[in-house]
Amino acid sequence: MLRHKSQKGLSRKSIFQSYESWQYTGIGYTRISQLPPHILGKIGEQQEVAELIQSLDQYSVQLGFDCDECLKSLKKLLGKLMNFEPRRSQDEGPQDQKQDKFAVEFFELGGVDVLLRLLIFGSLFPHPVRHGKVIWESERMLRIKSLVLEILTKITTTSVGERVTTELMRSDDTLNYIFTLLAHQKTFVNACQLIEDMLQSRKEVLDLHRITNLRGLISCLDDVQLANFCRILAVVISDLDIYENKSSLFAQNKQKRSRGFVNLRDINQELLLGIPELLPRLVKLAIAKEYLFHADTPRYRGMVSELDCWMEWIENQMADELYETQTVDDFEEYIGGVSEPTTEGGSLILQQGLKITEELVQRVEVVYVLGLFLLGKHRKKVQRKLADLKLAPGLSELFDQFIWKCQVNRYHSRHRLRGHNAACECSPEVALKIQFLRLVHSFCDHSDYKHLLLSKNELNEVKRINAKAGSLALPSLENVNRSLMCRGSKGLLTKIVEVMKKEPTTSTFRFWLARAVESYLRGDTSYCDQVFLMRRGLLQHVATNIVEHEIRHKEILQSSFDLLGELVKFNIEAFKTFDTILNTQAKLDKFVATVNRNLVDSNMFIRSLVLSLEHFTNEDNGEYAKKDCKLLTYIGNFQRQMEYLYKLIHIINVQNLTQENVSCLNTTLVFLMFANQKNKLPQYLRALRDEKDDLLDVHGSSSVMQNFRDLLIFWQDHYLHKDKDCSALEKSSRISFSYWKKTVNMLVSEDKSQPTAVLHYVTPLSGDRNN
């Protein structure tokens, strides 16, 4: 108290007297608020910055301060950091520059430190007890802290943002306290936004073990708060966030092998999956039926377009709010981040637009997080758990509530967003649809539970097909738990196919729809599932779409070829159907030209052709495959195979390998493994060298053969590591992984005298080219 009085007395002295006193007593100015008014007014370029800091500083060290006055100061500060001008473009305008300048000066004068003291105010003191209960936070104090969180979030978006988040992350106590504010109605939105910004600004993933009693925190979150919390989970369990390089497989492998590397994604997932109630609650939120019929979500009878519904809702809302102007701040209904001012210094009132946007984002985040749990090393465990929680029937019923572009006649749609063409699919629900389809993809990917996407009568149909599949029959169909399957006559898989067939060729959803169906077919090639989908016209639709249209979107083309590859692999009926589609030379030429123009996108389809050709040749269909089938006859030509080998090796090197193009390397190996089985590996390698090596300098660094050997050495490092699951390669190709390894070992052999070693052709032995 004596020190407080002494410091208080300092502010009434001149600067000279204060300096003299400091020399004798050691007591001097410690905060900006202690400076005399005439000095305070000369600090900084904007006088109001120092005045605001002084005002807030008094509250940050004073028990029992006036909450209303503190709130006024915070509202004024918030207004200085918000832009209330209408946006005309994405370019930063003068108003944004003014806010950034204000934020920089506020930070440099210690304003963020003052806000932090105000934020954790009271948490450092013993909590008062009333009627035997601990009073954790008053409603007024929570409203103040919510504004502080929002102000800090605004500052993190400015040029000093990184310095601010570094300061916030420095102390575990501060981080843990902000996490506790996720459990309060008035602060959870702003606390979540600030934490998300803090985590995304870091290079390292946050170890959730740093958060005290995380399980207790999650258990006390209500459903809305838990959905909001998924925004944080999305950052801490994403696989991309653990790597410095987000695309290069070579760089990621190097980082994984480095000393001290810890996969925090897997550690965080394991911690979260150890909370028994988490997945059940997330599934319940993801598939809740009331979502689209909730009073706050716009749906109007007679309107077939999502965008029309939203525009109608906006018009109604603007009409209502025009005559219902509120001049008093929300208190009971106040939710930070949703109750916002519409003008500088205006009242904090609930904004319906922000409220419904928040609800939409929360649903998207929940679905996204469920998908992330299916990407880690615990994927199989999570797939089983989600199946038991009846995710498949829940997603099927949610799918029925979506409005797809294909269901809307563009001439009957009343609205179009400014600057968007008639085929645009923009609406606030697009993100949810995409994450929904990603979740379906991850749930089915190499899954033992994919048949839950069927209805019971569809499963019976698949079983009847399977009974006639011979060596291609699946043994596991009798184990499908019917109580976990989709209800009704059509399962989710059929619904997705029906929507895909009606979607426009340029629809962005085609990529995700095709990916979802393709993941269902992945793994052990399933003849019965292929025929089931062919009966629904999927092969005809996808192939015809490529033949009759110029598909310019790379992603749509890639997903189409990947799906075709899974539909036709090892299936003689599929190839015969394909022959009827490519029934003229012009159609065949058009299809082949599309394949050749887009080799990275079509290489999985090429691999499927090679695998099928060998399969049929070894069975009773060799005559058809070698002479009658258009596509298999095309791919069976030796010279054409060499052209594909050359091109596939040419378009990749170790430095540019990504998750998207590493499949090209595996496709080249499929060619060479079959050559090896026939003792023709030297013939393929020699032809590759003789015909192409003299003409090629891959990216100006090495010959095609040296580049190929470098790629194979990378392959060994990538696929033979202990944490790599290589069963997918074996299942999809029906070639044992041991033979993959054997062939690669032969190719990378250091013995130059071996004609099966690539080195034999990198530096040709004397006279070898004449053999």
Side-chain angles (χ1 to χ4, degrees):
M1 183 64 71
L2 179 62
R3 179 177 174 84
H4 178 69
K5 287 182 178 179
S6 299
Q7 289 181 338
K8 188 175 180 181
L10 283 172
S11 63
R12 292 192 293 267
K13 297 180 180 179
S14 68
I15 291 292
F16 176 77
Q17 289 176 318
S18 298
Y19 178 74
E20 188 179 54
S21 174
W22 170 75
Q23 287 182 311
Y24 285 102
T25 66
I27 299 174
Y29 296 123
T30 59
R31 303 193 312 278
I32 196 173
S33 60
Q34 296 171 333
L35 293 174
H38 68 282
I39 296 297
L40 196 68
K42 297 179 180 180
I43 293 178
E45 296 182 21
Q46 305 176 68
Q47 182 177 345
E48 57 190 343
V49 176
E51 292 176 350
L52 271 172
I53 294 175
Q54 182 191 46
S55 172
L56 292 171
D57 193 26
Q58 294 173 357
Y59 304 126
S60 72
V61 293
Q62 179 183 5
L63 289 169
F65 60 80
D66 188 331
C67 289
D68 291 336
E69 290 301 315
C70 180
L71 193 67
K72 286 182 182 178
S73 297
L74 289 171
K75 284 171 61 178
K76 184 177 180 181
L77 175 56
L78 179 62
K80 297 295 182 183
L81 295 167
M82 293 180 70
N83 188 352
F84 297 98
E85 297 295 325
R87 290 277 181 179
R88 299 299 179 190
S89 71
Q90 295 298 317
D91 298 328
E92 184 182 86
Q95 191 69 19
D96 295 305
Q97 296 172 2
K98 182 179 178 182
Q99 291 155 13
D100 188 79
K101 186 177 180 181
F102 183 93
V104 170
E105 191 166 326
F106 182 83
F107 173 75
E108 291 178 345
L109 291 179
V112 170
D113 294 332
V114 172
L115 289 176
L116 278 177
R117 284 201 298 271
L118 196 56
L119 181 67
I120 62 175
F121 185 85
S123 65
L124 303 179
F125 300 99
H127 294 292
V129 178
R130 185 181 302 161
H131 305 302
K133 295 182 179 180
V134 176
I135 308 301
W136 292 100
E137 303 277 5
S138 72
E139 293 294 300
R140 291 183 178 277
M141 204 60 214
L142 284 172
R143 192 162 58 150
I144 285 173
K145 294 190 175 189
S146 184
L147 273 180
V148 171
L149 291 168
E150 186 167 359
I151 291 166
L152 288 171
T153 302
K154 299 289 186 190
I155 296 175
T156 61
T157 64
T158 66
S159 58
V160 292
E162 188 173 341
R163 294 158 67 188
V164 173
T165 52
T166 300
E167 184 69 26
L168 294 174
M169 292 294 294
R170 184 168 289 131
S171 167
D172 276 5
D173 289 338
T174 301
L175 183 63
N176 271 282
Y177 181 70
I178 298 174
F179 264 85
T180 67
L181 295 176
L182 293 167
H184 295 286
Q185 183 69 11
K186 294 191 182 326
T187 56
F188 78 95
V189 173
N190 282 334
C192 186
Q193 183 64 62
L194 180 59
I195 294 172
E196 185 181 15
D197 289 349
M198 290 162 60
L199 298 183
Q200 288 181 334
S201 70
R202 287 163 48 93
K203 290 184 179 179
E204 306 85 14
V205 175
L206 173 70
D207 185 350
L208 286 178
H209 288 87
R210 285 179 60 185
I211 307 305
T212 306
N213 193 20
L214 181 65
R215 180 172 180 172
L217 172 64
I218 291 176
S219 66
C220 75
L221 300 178
D222 63 27
D223 286 348
V224 175
Q225 291 165 349
L226 178 61
N228 202 60
F229 183 61
C230 284
R231 294 165 59 184
I232 296 170
L233 296 185
V235 180
V236 298
I237 64 174
S238 169
D239 57 341
L240 284 180
D241 289 312
I242 65 176
Y243 299 117
E244 294 177 6
N245 191 306
K246 307 304 182 187
S247 59
S248 168
L249 290 179
F250 176 75
Q252 290 176 8
N253 281 357
K254 188 175 180 181
Q255 185 180 345
K256 281 195 289 188
R257 311 294 189 265
S258 63
R259 181 176 297 179
F261 175 77
V262 179
N263 192 328
L264 285 171
R265 187 270 309 265
D266 288 340
I267 291 174
N268 286 337
Q269 281 203 14
E270 190 168 354
L271 174 64
L272 293 167
L273 292 173
I275 303 174
E277 67 273 16
L278 181 59
L279 278 184
R281 289 186 66 188
L282 292 180
V283 171
K284 180 183 175 183
L285 289 170
I287 64 178
K289 294 180 184 177
E290 64 271 16
Y291 168 68
L292 291 179
F293 299 103
H294 193 276
D296 288 335
T297 305
R299 284 290 185 268
Y300 298 95
R301 287 185 178 180
M303 293 189 181
V304 293
S305 161
E306 280 177 4
L307 187 55
D308 284 346
C309 292
W310 280 93
M311 296 301 290
E312 180 72 14
W313 178 84
I314 291 171
E315 290 173 4
N316 293 340
Q317 202 64 40
M318 290 177 66
D320 289 341
E321 291 182 353
L322 185 64
Y323 298 102
E324 297 177 7
T325 306
Q326 183 175 329
T327 57
V328 181
D329 291 339
D330 283 339
F331 185 74
E332 293 296 334
E333 295 184 356
Y334 173 84
I335 301 175
V338 176
S339 299
E340 292 284 293
T342 55
T343 59
E344 186 172 342
S347 302
L348 300 172
I349 56 177
L350 187 122
Q351 305 292 329
Q352 288 296 331
L354 292 176
K355 184 173 185 289
I356 197 168
T357 301
E358 190 67 30
E359 291 172 355
L360 277 167
V361 170
Q362 288 168 2
R363 173 66 73 96
V364 172
E365 294 291 350
V366 171
V367 176
Y368 178 55
V369 165
L370 283 175
L372 288 178
F373 276 122
L374 287 162
L375 298 179
K377 71 176 184 179
H378 306 286
R379 182 185 66 186
K380 292 292 184 183
K381 173 183 175 182
V382 176
Q383 284 175 336
R384 182 178 70 251
K385 183 70 173 175
L386 295 182
D388 292 339
L389 291 169
K390 298 186 176 181
L391 177 70
L395 290 178
S396 181
E397 292 173 14
L398 179 60
F399 190 86
D400 292 336
Q401 312 307 322
F402 291 139
I403 298 177
W404 296 91
K405 180 73 176 178
C406 64
Q407 298 165 334
V408 181
N409 184 326
R410 70 180 62 175
Y411 300 109
H412 293 166
S413 183
R414 298 187 303 132
H415 296 98
R416 185 191 305 171
L417 295 178
R418 172 183 263 176
H420 295 228
N421 61 35
C424 181
E425 299 157 324
C426 287
S427 90
E429 293 169 44
V430 168
L432 177 59
K433 290 177 182 177
I434 290 174
Q435 295 306 327
F436 176 98
L437 293 169
R438 287 186 66 173
L439 176 57
V440 173
H441 169 271
S442 299
F443 177 70
C444 292
D445 194 17
H446 296 91
S447 172
D448 298 327
Y449 306 95
K450 65 181 184 181
H451 288 102
L452 297 180
L453 266 63
L454 305 176
S455 65
K456 293 175 184 177
N457 64 311
E458 288 174 337
L459 178 63
N460 291 335
E461 179 185 349
V462 169
K463 284 184 175 181
R464 289 192 295 270
I465 300 169
N466 194 53
K468 301 177 183 179
S471 63
L472 298 173
L474 290 180
S476 58
L477 289 179
E478 296 301 325
N479 300 327
V480 178
N481 187 337
R482 290 175 174 267
S483 67
L484 305 177
M485 298 182 68
C486 296
R487 293 176 279 270
S489 60
K490 295 178 181 178
L492 178 57
L493 180 65
T494 298
K495 294 174 184 178
I496 291 174
V497 170
E498 288 180 347
V499 167
M500 181 181 173
K501 287 168 63 179
K502 297 174 183 176
E503 280 290 294
T505 303
T506 57
S507 168
T508 54
F509 291 121
R510 287 191 68 87
F511 169 77
W512 298 106
L513 291 161
R515 288 270 289 166
V517 180
E518 183 238 334
S519 72
Y520 176 88
L521 290 170
R522 273 191 201 169
D524 290 320
T525 301
S526 172
Y527 173 88
C528 56
D529 290 315
Q530 290 171 324
V531 174
F532 175 82
L533 290 168
M534 285 167 59
R535 287 179 177 180
R536 280 144 184 82
L538 186 60
L539 175 58
Q540 180 85 25
H541 168 72
V542 179
T544 302
N545 198 47
I546 293 175
V547 170
E548 294 184 354
H549 299 93
E550 290 291 341
I551 302 176
R552 300 187 182 279
H553 295 283
K554 177 184 185 319
E555 294 78 10
I556 295 175
L557 199 59
Q558 178 186 336
S559 61
S560 298
F561 276 122
D562 287 352
L563 178 53
L564 278 179
E566 293 297 338
L567 277 170
V568 304
K569 192 190 302 178
F570 307 132
N571 192 314
I572 196 72
E573 282 81 7
F575 279 99
K576 289 179 178 179
T577 300
F578 228 128
D579 282 340
T580 64
I581 298 169
L582 306 177
N583 54 11
T584 67
Q585 189 62 42
K587 289 181 179 179
L588 177 62
D589 292 343
K590 168 72 182 301
F591 185 83
V592 169
T594 306
V595 169
N596 294 340
R597 256 196 331 269
N598 305 276
L599 270 188
V600 172
D601 303 324
S602 65
N603 87 89
M604 293 293 286
F605 178 73
I606 294 171
R607 188 192 308 180
S608 180
L609 296 184
V610 177
L611 289 167
S612 300
L613 175 63
E614 295 299 323
H615 173 76
F616 296 144
T617 301
N618 295 329
E619 302 226 340
D620 298 332
N621 298 301
E623 191 72 16
Y624 166 77
K626 291 181 177 180
K627 294 184 178 179
D628 300 327
C629 179
K630 293 183 176 67
L631 289 173
L632 296 181
T633 303
Y634 174 83
I635 201 66
N637 180 278
F638 174 76
Q639 189 57 41
R640 196 161 286 125
Q641 290 187 3
M642 295 311 305
E643 290 175 2
Y644 279 128
L645 269 174
Y646 155 64
K647 290 176 181 177
L648 288 169
I649 295 171
H650 172 54
I651 57 182
I652 55 175
N653 62 44
V654 171
Q655 298 300 327
N656 71 9
L657 278 177
T658 66
Q659 202 63 49
E660 284 68 41
N661 63 22
V662 70
S663 57
C664 294
L665 177 56
N666 288 324
T667 298
T668 64
L669 284 174
V670 169
F671 279 106
L672 296 178
M673 281 189 291
F674 287 130
N676 193 29
Q677 287 179 358
K678 301 169 188 175
N679 296 318
K680 292 184 177 180
L681 188 54
Q683 177 186 349
Y684 273 70
L685 295 176
R686 189 180 303 112
L688 183 63
R689 179 200 64 186
D690 289 349
E691 296 187 19
K692 302 298 179 184
D693 204 22
D694 290 339
L695 307 176
L696 178 67
D697 184 39
V698 179
H699 301 289
S701 60
S702 62
S703 73
V704 62
M705 302 305 287
Q706 183 61 54
N707 181 60
F708 185 40
R709 189 171 188 277
D710 292 342
L711 287 166
L712 293 171
I713 292 172
F714 167 85
W715 188 95
Q716 289 181 314
D717 182 60
H718 185 67
Y719 283 102
L720 304 185
H721 196 260
K722 61 182 180 180
D723 65 350
K724 186 71 176 177
D725 180 10
C726 300
S727 60
L729 280 179
E730 184 170 281
K731 289 179 179 179
S732 64
S733 64
R734 293 191 173 181
I735 301 173
S736 68
F737 189 66
S738 61
Y739 196 74
W740 285 79
K741 292 191 292 184
K742 177 183 177 181
T743 303
V744 173
N745 286 338
M746 293 174 65
L747 289 166
V748 300
S749 170
E750 298 282 350
D751 187 353
K752 292 185 178 183
S753 66
Q754 293 295 325
T756 55
V758 176
L759 271 181
H760 183 80
Y761 307 92
V762 172
T763 308
L765 300 176
S766 111
D768 185 66
R769 288 194 176 224
N770 298 321
N771 294 338

